[in-house]
Amino acid sequence: MRGLRFFANRNLGSFKRSWFFVDILKCSFSFLKKGMNVYFSLFVLGLGTNLISCEPLEAFEVNTHRQLTEKANEVIGPSLDAYLIDNLGVEGGLNASFNGMTARQWMVEGSETEDESLRPARHFHDPISNSGLGGFSSAIDWSLRPVGDQFPGGPWSWNDAREYYFRALTSPTKAERDENWGKTFRALGQVMHLLQDMASPAHVRNDPHLSFFGFGDDDGIHDYMEKQSVSSYLGGGAIGPDPSILQQVGATHSEKPVSNLFDHNINTTGLNPEATLGGQSGLAEYTNANFFSDDTVAGQNKFTPPHPSVAELVPATTIPFGLQYVTLSRLGSPSELKARVAKYTGNQSFSKFRLTNLELDLLNQLRLDDLVYEAQAINLIPRAVGYSAAVLDYFFRGDVETTAVFHVVSHFVALLPGGGVVCDETPVFEWGHLEFGFDVPASLGYDGMTAVYYDDKNKNRIKIPEESFGVIPLNQIPANQPVPWYVVLDGPMGPGAKEERAIVAKKHEAEWVFSCDH
């Protein structure tokens, strides 16, 4: 998302500047350079204020979000493929097609479309103030909207993904299930987009920017990454969170453990930046504490977060192209590119500047450039990918041990001379019994509703009423073929802190066993 700064022309001809949002209205038309929707904002500054148009608030270019999501799928792919195939019976796993697109493609679709309509202003979260941009929702709140929230652009929150998942597992027809599988993966893509935005310094430091159709104060890391390949920053692998943060109650905005991926509240005052370096940190906390955005450089803005501070910066020990850069020691040694956080453009020595300009840099002598954005990308892109993969790993979690046989208890019986009997293995009764068992691991702490379903010969999924004890009409299933059945758990579940509504399912195939009824 890219921020907005507004200028209004008053009747007296003077120009004033404001950060106040009244509303954002969508204006869909083809944008010459990026082909994206453009939004118009209203700003009221006394009588006679004019309407000013601006670009949307975007953290990363659509192509960058696409690559981040694709790479997250590669990271989690082998284990998630196995889970989808072995646990859920999704033939093809991530390459399974639902309404013309694979699961992977639906996630990419979600990561692209989350920036459409009026959604982008809700893609900010400042972990120090625990707030979004201006009066808009925090990205955490936005990711956890209630099921079916009809905000323009559709309901695509984490809670919606859970509902779509349940329908994908339990809807009667294959067409309905395929539709909801597609929606499940698209919603997960949109949630991953929100988390990826937490790897953009502007989005975790509540830093809007003026951009008038591509001209003005664009977000530097956004524009820099538009020209880069995400894969070039993953040579050392993706960097994910410590899995334990998803076993703890959400620390901000929601008790849902998934919110800890955004903000785990380990640096509540902003005065403990070292704590953000480990796996217990939410992505927003790490980015906020260690990187400047274009308009929140220390000493240049009253509302700059406490870190990085001018006092903790040290000059780089190597000077590329004769320019002077400053580094942050907790990100690496002064000779490492990844440690560089700003360029110093003053004539005096940096040590003197640091002693005399701790509170206000009127000349803006600390600036960001492409070498700084490169350093940001080195640190932030692997985390954007790793934390995105953690979304999928947490969503598709849990296993259930199952056993089952399909037991036909009555057949045609013929009496033989001398008292013997012959059993014909063609059932003559209309009913058979699905005898099933399942074991939910105690580590999940499951406490919810459990239902059992089976697929008939037309691939319709039918719920077995509890009172029927697993009795299935034999005319609905093909004789002597395995009977697909599913146990679906829907309710509070861990491991550790319970997600209010988690869903775990397991597919099994019941074999036919005949018994001769005398």
Side-chain angles (χ1 to χ4, degrees):
M1 291 177 60
R2 181 176 305 149
L4 308 176
R5 180 173 294 171
F6 300 100
F7 293 88
N9 184 0
R10 303 191 69 182
N11 288 338
L12 296 178
S14 62
F15 286 86
K16 301 292 182 181
R17 185 175 297 181
S18 173
W19 302 96
F20 176 68
F21 295 97
V22 176
D23 198 5
I24 294 184
L25 305 175
K26 179 180 178 184
C27 177
S28 296
F29 62 92
S30 175
F31 185 50
L32 180 61
K33 178 181 178 183
K34 296 183 175 65
M36 300 177 62
N37 288 336
V38 179
Y39 306 88
F40 284 81
S41 294
L42 294 176
F43 168 67
V44 180
L45 185 60
L47 297 177
T49 301
N50 293 333
L51 176 67
I52 302 298
S53 58
C54 319
E55 269 197 48
L57 300 91
E58 298 159 353
F60 291 115
E61 179 60 75
V62 170
N63 184 53
T64 303
H65 277 294
R66 180 189 303 115
Q67 293 181 60
L68 290 171
T69 301
E70 289 172 345
K71 291 302 177 182
N73 270 277
E74 290 182 14
V75 169
I76 197 69
S79 61
L80 183 51
D81 253 341
Y83 190 93
L84 293 173
I85 295 169
D86 299 337
N87 282 46
L88 306 180
V90 178
E91 296 182 8
L94 288 170
N95 292 319
S97 181
F98 306 108
N99 289 352
M101 291 201 296
T102 67
R104 298 176 190 272
Q105 291 169 333
W106 276 115
M107 283 187 272
V108 171
E109 173 82 3
S111 68
E112 293 177 355
T113 56
E114 177 56 34
D115 261 340
E116 292 182 354
S117 190
L118 310 181
R119 311 173 81 87
R122 283 93 179 160
H123 293 187
F124 288 75
H125 174 74
D126 181 342
I128 307 300
S129 63
N130 282 330
S131 65
L133 181 65
F136 293 110
S137 300
S138 159
I140 297 177
D141 292 332
W142 187 240
S143 72
L144 297 172
R145 297 187 320 284
V147 172
D149 184 350
Q150 292 299 319
F151 190 88
W156 302 108
S157 69
W158 174 269
N159 295 317
D160 290 312
R162 281 291 186 214
E163 178 63 22
Y164 295 139
Y165 184 30
F166 178 77
R167 296 178 188 177
L169 293 167
T170 64
S171 291
T173 69
K174 185 177 185 304
E176 290 174 295
R177 296 195 299 274
D178 283 356
E179 177 184 358
N180 282 288
W181 274 121
K183 289 181 176 180
T184 299
F185 289 110
R186 174 177 167 176
L188 289 171
Q190 301 209 199
V191 172
M192 285 192 283
H193 177 120
L194 296 175
L195 189 55
Q196 291 160 9
D197 277 354
M198 299 302 96
S200 170
H203 279 254
V204 299
R205 297 165 76 89
N206 281 350
D207 174 15
H209 305 270
L210 169 67
S211 180
F212 190 77
F213 298 113
F215 299 96
D217 187 18
D218 283 352
D219 183 22
I221 184 65
H222 165 280
D223 290 340
Y224 182 79
M225 281 306 303
E226 185 177 358
K227 301 183 287 287
Q228 310 303 317
S229 169
V230 164
S231 62
S232 65
Y233 299 98
L234 298 176
I239 301 175
D242 187 319
S244 67
I245 73 173
L246 290 166
Q247 299 179 18
Q248 301 169 34
V249 173
T252 61
H253 289 245
S254 168
E255 293 187 353
K256 287 184 179 292
V258 70
S259 68
N260 290 331
L261 294 175
F262 291 78
D263 184 355
H264 196 199
N265 222 22
I266 63 171
N267 186 31
T268 55
T269 63
L271 300 179
N272 187 24
E274 296 287 343
T276 67
L277 301 179
Q280 289 290 319
S281 175
L283 185 54
E285 295 174 282
Y286 172 76
T287 307
N288 173 280
N290 298 294
F291 305 96
F292 297 125
S293 65
D294 294 298
D295 292 330
T296 64
V297 179
Q300 297 177 17
N301 187 305
K302 180 180 179 181
F303 303 106
T304 299
H307 291 279
S309 69
V310 173
E312 62 184 337
L313 301 181
V314 296
T317 55
T318 56
I319 306 175
F321 314 119
L323 301 176
Q324 185 172 356
Y325 288 85
V326 291
T327 67
L328 191 61
S329 60
R330 60 178 170 270
L331 296 179
S333 73
S335 63
E336 293 183 274
L337 176 59
K338 68 178 183 178
R340 300 179 190 183
V341 294
K343 179 174 70 174
Y344 176 57
T345 62
N347 293 324
Q348 64 191 143
S349 68
F350 183 75
S351 58
K352 182 176 180 181
F353 166 84
R354 187 169 58 183
L355 290 173
T356 58
N357 293 271
L358 291 183
E359 295 184 2
L360 191 62
D361 175 14
L362 292 175
L363 300 178
N364 288 0
Q365 294 177 108
L366 290 178
R367 299 179 183 178
L368 310 186
D369 66 0
D370 280 356
L371 196 59
V372 174
Y373 301 136
E374 174 72 3
Q376 291 184 353
I378 290 171
N379 290 285
L380 293 169
I381 293 302
R383 284 174 169 80
V385 171
Y387 276 66
S388 294
V391 170
L392 300 177
D393 191 46
Y394 184 67
F395 187 88
F396 294 104
R397 71 185 190 278
D399 196 3
V400 179
E401 293 296 327
T402 58
T403 59
V405 295
F406 186 76
H407 195 79
V408 179
V409 297
S410 184
H411 301 277
F412 176 75
V413 178
L415 296 178
L416 298 176
V421 295
V422 173
C423 292
D424 184 346
E425 290 192 355
T426 302
V428 296
F429 281 14
E430 188 177 345
W431 301 96
H433 291 273
L434 176 64
E435 298 178 357
F436 57 85
F438 55 87
D439 180 28
V440 181
S443 61
L444 294 180
Y446 179 63
D447 181 21
M449 302 296 295
T450 303
V452 177
Y453 300 78
Y454 72 94
D455 286 351
D456 70 11
K457 58 187 177 183
N458 296 315
K459 296 186 177 181
N460 293 315
R461 192 152 298 171
I462 300 171
K463 183 178 181 179
I464 301 177
E466 292 183 19
E467 62 272 14
S468 74
F469 299 102
V471 175
I472 296 176
L474 297 187
N475 62 358
Q476 292 189 6
I477 55 179
N480 295 325
Q481 294 184 22
V483 180
W485 71 281
Y486 305 78
V487 57
V488 179
L489 313 180
D490 180 8
M493 198 179 313
K498 294 182 180 181
E499 180 187 356
E500 181 180 353
R501 188 194 186 188
I503 295 169
V504 172
K506 185 64 175 284
K507 177 190 177 184
H508 197 96
E509 290 187 339
E511 301 296 332
W512 289 66
V513 174
F514 301 101
S515 92
C516 188
D517 188 349
H518 294 242

